[in-house]
Short mmCIF file of all heavy atoms in Angstrom, two decimals:
data_model
loop_
_atom_site.label_atom_id
_atom_site.label_comp_id
_atom_site.label_asym_id
_atom_site.label_seq_id
_atom_site.Cartn_x
_atom_site.Cartn_y
_atom_site.Cartn_z
N THR A 141 162.63 163.48 96.66
CA THR A 141 163.02 163.10 95.31
C THR A 141 164.49 162.67 95.32
O THR A 141 165.20 162.91 96.38
CB THR A 141 162.90 164.33 94.31
OG1 THR A 141 163.02 163.86 92.98
CG2 THR A 141 163.94 165.42 94.61
N ASP A 142 164.90 162.05 94.21
CA ASP A 142 166.32 161.59 94.15
C ASP A 142 167.26 162.54 93.45
O ASP A 142 166.77 163.32 92.57
CB ASP A 142 166.32 160.25 93.42
CG ASP A 142 165.78 159.02 94.29
OD1 ASP A 142 166.03 159.02 95.48
OD2 ASP A 142 165.11 158.17 93.75
N HIS A 143 168.49 162.53 93.89
CA HIS A 143 169.43 163.41 93.28
C HIS A 143 169.46 163.43 91.77
O HIS A 143 169.47 164.55 91.19
CB HIS A 143 170.84 162.93 93.74
CG HIS A 143 171.97 163.81 93.48
ND1 HIS A 143 172.76 164.44 94.38
CD2 HIS A 143 172.53 164.04 92.21
CE1 HIS A 143 173.69 165.07 93.74
NE2 HIS A 143 173.61 164.95 92.40
N TYR A 144 169.27 162.28 91.14
CA TYR A 144 169.39 162.25 89.68
C TYR A 144 168.20 162.83 88.89
O TYR A 144 168.25 163.15 87.79
CB TYR A 144 169.72 160.92 89.19
CG TYR A 144 168.66 159.85 88.99
CD1 TYR A 144 168.87 158.81 88.04
CD2 TYR A 144 167.46 159.91 89.55
CE1 TYR A 144 167.89 157.82 87.74
CE2 TYR A 144 166.43 158.94 89.37
CZ TYR A 144 166.67 158.00 88.49
OH TYR A 144 165.75 156.99 88.30
N GLU A 145 167.07 163.04 89.71
CA GLU A 145 166.00 163.74 89.02
C GLU A 145 166.34 165.13 88.75
O GLU A 145 166.06 165.74 87.64
CB GLU A 145 164.70 163.76 90.00
CG GLU A 145 164.37 162.47 90.67
CD GLU A 145 163.86 161.43 89.71
OE1 GLU A 145 163.88 161.63 88.47
OE2 GLU A 145 163.44 160.32 90.24
N LEU A 146 167.15 165.82 89.64
CA LEU A 146 167.51 167.16 89.40
C LEU A 146 168.69 167.36 88.48
O LEU A 146 168.73 168.28 87.72
CB LEU A 146 167.81 167.85 90.78
CG LEU A 146 166.74 167.92 91.77
CD1 LEU A 146 167.04 168.81 92.95
CD2 LEU A 146 165.33 168.40 91.11
N THR A 147 169.51 166.36 88.44
CA THR A 147 170.61 166.42 87.49
C THR A 147 170.04 166.09 85.98
O THR A 147 170.58 166.70 85.03
CB THR A 147 171.70 165.41 87.81
OG1 THR A 147 171.18 164.18 87.94
CG2 THR A 147 172.46 165.78 89.07
N MET A 148 169.01 165.31 85.90
CA MET A 148 168.35 165.17 84.65
C MET A 148 167.70 166.46 84.17
O MET A 148 167.75 166.87 83.02
CB MET A 148 167.42 163.99 84.66
CG MET A 148 167.98 162.63 84.45
SD MET A 148 166.59 161.43 84.12
CE MET A 148 165.86 161.34 85.71
N PHE A 149 167.05 167.08 85.18
CA PHE A 149 166.42 168.39 84.94
C PHE A 149 167.51 169.33 84.33
O PHE A 149 167.22 169.99 83.30
CB PHE A 149 165.88 168.91 86.25
CG PHE A 149 165.15 170.14 86.28
CD1 PHE A 149 163.72 170.12 86.42
CD2 PHE A 149 165.69 171.38 86.10
CE1 PHE A 149 162.95 171.23 86.46
CE2 PHE A 149 164.91 172.51 86.07
CZ PHE A 149 163.55 172.58 86.26
N GLN A 150 168.66 169.39 85.03
CA GLN A 150 169.66 170.31 84.52
C GLN A 150 170.22 170.02 83.11
O GLN A 150 170.29 170.85 82.31
CB GLN A 150 170.81 170.29 85.57
CG GLN A 150 171.90 171.21 85.18
CD GLN A 150 172.92 171.47 86.26
OE1 GLN A 150 172.57 172.14 87.22
NE2 GLN A 150 174.07 170.90 86.17
N ALA A 151 170.46 168.65 82.91
CA ALA A 151 170.97 168.21 81.52
C ALA A 151 169.92 168.52 80.59
O ALA A 151 170.26 168.88 79.37
CB ALA A 151 171.42 166.88 81.66
N ALA A 152 168.73 168.33 80.84
CA ALA A 152 167.61 168.63 79.83
C ALA A 152 167.51 170.08 79.53
O ALA A 152 167.21 170.44 78.42
CB ALA A 152 166.24 168.06 80.32
N LEU A 153 167.70 170.85 80.48
CA LEU A 153 167.76 172.42 80.26
C LEU A 153 168.88 172.68 79.32
O LEU A 153 168.75 173.49 78.40
CB LEU A 153 168.03 173.02 81.50
CG LEU A 153 166.69 173.29 82.48
CD1 LEU A 153 167.11 173.81 83.89
CD2 LEU A 153 165.61 174.05 81.87
N HIS A 154 170.04 171.99 79.59
CA HIS A 154 171.23 172.26 78.61
C HIS A 154 170.92 171.82 77.27
O HIS A 154 171.42 172.52 76.35
CB HIS A 154 172.44 171.55 79.33
CG HIS A 154 173.68 171.72 78.53
ND1 HIS A 154 174.43 172.90 78.68
CD2 HIS A 154 174.35 170.97 77.74
CE1 HIS A 154 175.59 172.86 77.91
NE2 HIS A 154 175.43 171.64 77.23
N SER A 155 170.27 170.75 77.08
CA SER A 155 170.01 170.26 75.71
C SER A 155 168.91 170.92 75.05
O SER A 155 168.67 170.70 73.85
CB SER A 155 169.75 168.70 75.69
OG SER A 155 168.48 168.46 76.27
N GLY A 156 168.10 171.61 75.80
CA GLY A 156 167.06 172.24 75.21
C GLY A 156 165.66 171.36 75.25
O GLY A 156 164.65 171.81 74.64
N ALA A 157 165.81 170.24 75.82
CA ALA A 157 164.60 169.28 75.76
C ALA A 157 163.67 169.31 77.00
O ALA A 157 162.71 168.69 77.14
CB ALA A 157 165.09 167.82 75.67
N ALA A 158 164.16 170.15 77.96
CA ALA A 158 163.47 170.14 79.22
C ALA A 158 161.93 170.47 79.21
O ALA A 158 161.12 170.05 79.93
CB ALA A 158 164.13 171.23 80.24
N HIS A 159 161.60 171.35 78.14
CA HIS A 159 160.25 171.85 78.00
C HIS A 159 159.47 171.08 76.94
O HIS A 159 158.36 171.54 76.60
CB HIS A 159 160.23 173.36 77.80
CG HIS A 159 160.86 174.09 78.93
ND1 HIS A 159 160.41 174.10 80.23
CD2 HIS A 159 162.01 174.82 78.98
CE1 HIS A 159 161.10 174.85 80.97
NE2 HIS A 159 162.16 175.27 80.26
N ARG A 160 159.99 169.96 76.52
CA ARG A 160 159.26 169.10 75.57
C ARG A 160 157.98 168.60 76.26
O ARG A 160 158.10 168.02 77.38
CB ARG A 160 160.15 167.96 75.05
CG ARG A 160 160.94 168.25 73.82
CD ARG A 160 161.63 167.10 73.42
NE ARG A 160 162.40 167.36 72.18
CZ ARG A 160 163.10 166.36 71.53
NH1 ARG A 160 163.26 165.16 71.92
NH2 ARG A 160 163.80 166.79 70.37
N ARG A 161 156.87 168.57 75.59
CA ARG A 161 155.68 167.91 76.20
C ARG A 161 155.94 166.39 76.18
O ARG A 161 156.50 165.78 75.39
CB ARG A 161 154.49 168.18 75.13
CG ARG A 161 153.22 167.61 75.65
CD ARG A 161 152.23 167.78 74.50
NE ARG A 161 150.96 167.01 74.74
CZ ARG A 161 150.08 166.61 73.80
NH1 ARG A 161 150.46 166.86 72.41
NH2 ARG A 161 149.01 166.02 74.05
N SER A 162 155.62 165.82 77.37
CA SER A 162 155.97 164.47 77.69
C SER A 162 154.76 163.76 78.40
O SER A 162 154.00 164.46 79.21
CB SER A 162 157.23 164.37 78.54
OG SER A 162 158.30 164.97 77.85
N VAL A 163 154.62 162.50 78.29
CA VAL A 163 153.67 161.72 79.01
C VAL A 163 154.44 160.61 79.75
O VAL A 163 155.11 159.76 79.08
CB VAL A 163 152.67 161.01 77.99
CG1 VAL A 163 151.67 160.25 78.85
CG2 VAL A 163 151.88 162.12 77.21
N PHE A 164 154.18 160.57 81.12
CA PHE A 164 154.83 159.55 81.87
C PHE A 164 153.64 158.63 82.33
O PHE A 164 152.62 159.09 82.57
CB PHE A 164 155.61 160.11 83.11
CG PHE A 164 157.03 160.56 82.79
CD1 PHE A 164 157.16 161.82 82.12
CD2 PHE A 164 158.02 159.85 83.13
CE1 PHE A 164 158.45 162.19 81.75
CE2 PHE A 164 159.34 160.34 82.95
CZ PHE A 164 159.50 161.49 82.19
N GLN A 165 153.95 157.35 82.69
CA GLN A 165 152.97 156.37 83.14
C GLN A 165 153.59 155.63 84.21
O GLN A 165 154.78 155.18 84.28
CB GLN A 165 152.61 155.46 81.98
CG GLN A 165 151.79 154.23 82.52
CD GLN A 165 151.55 153.28 81.36
OE1 GLN A 165 151.87 153.51 80.20
NE2 GLN A 165 151.16 152.04 81.79
N ALA A 166 152.77 155.53 85.40
CA ALA A 166 153.13 154.64 86.48
C ALA A 166 152.30 153.42 86.39
O ALA A 166 151.09 153.45 86.20
CB ALA A 166 152.79 155.39 87.78
N PHE A 167 153.05 152.34 86.50
CA PHE A 167 152.37 150.98 86.33
C PHE A 167 153.14 149.97 87.02
O PHE A 167 154.37 150.16 87.34
CB PHE A 167 152.14 150.63 84.83
CG PHE A 167 153.40 150.42 84.10
CD1 PHE A 167 153.95 149.20 83.80
CD2 PHE A 167 154.14 151.65 83.50
CE1 PHE A 167 155.14 149.02 83.13
CE2 PHE A 167 155.25 151.39 82.87
CZ PHE A 167 155.81 150.15 82.70
N ALA A 168 152.61 148.74 87.23
CA ALA A 168 153.35 147.60 87.77
C ALA A 168 153.56 146.60 86.57
O ALA A 168 152.53 146.29 85.93
CB ALA A 168 152.62 146.94 88.92
N ARG A 169 154.74 146.15 86.43
CA ARG A 169 154.96 145.13 85.38
C ARG A 169 154.31 143.81 85.71
O ARG A 169 154.01 143.01 84.80
CB ARG A 169 156.43 144.92 85.06
CG ARG A 169 157.17 146.12 84.43
CD ARG A 169 158.53 145.78 83.92
NE ARG A 169 159.16 146.86 83.21
CZ ARG A 169 159.99 147.69 83.76
NH1 ARG A 169 160.29 147.56 85.13
NH2 ARG A 169 160.45 148.79 83.05
N GLY A 170 154.23 143.57 86.97
CA GLY A 170 153.50 142.24 87.50
C GLY A 170 153.04 142.53 88.89
O GLY A 170 153.23 143.58 89.48
N LEU A 171 152.42 141.58 89.35
CA LEU A 171 151.92 141.54 90.80
C LEU A 171 152.81 140.77 91.62
O LEU A 171 153.57 139.81 91.19
CB LEU A 171 150.47 140.87 90.89
CG LEU A 171 149.47 141.59 90.03
CD1 LEU A 171 148.10 140.78 90.13
CD2 LEU A 171 149.13 143.09 90.57
N PRO A 172 152.90 141.10 92.94
CA PRO A 172 153.74 140.32 93.84
C PRO A 172 153.38 138.88 93.79
O PRO A 172 152.17 138.48 93.52
CB PRO A 172 153.41 140.95 95.21
CG PRO A 172 152.96 142.35 94.99
CD PRO A 172 152.27 142.23 93.57
#
Side-chain angles (χ1 to χ4, degrees):
T141 190
D142 286 320
H143 185 117
Y144 85 156
E145 313 292 6
L146 299 190
T147 54
M148 277 195 290
F149 184 108
Q150 177 166 291
L153 287 171
H154 182 77
S155 73
H159 300 295
R160 277 187 174 178
R161 179 185 173 205
S162 300
V163 179
F164 281 75
Q165 173 190 342
F167 65 98
R169 291 192 176 96
L171 298 173

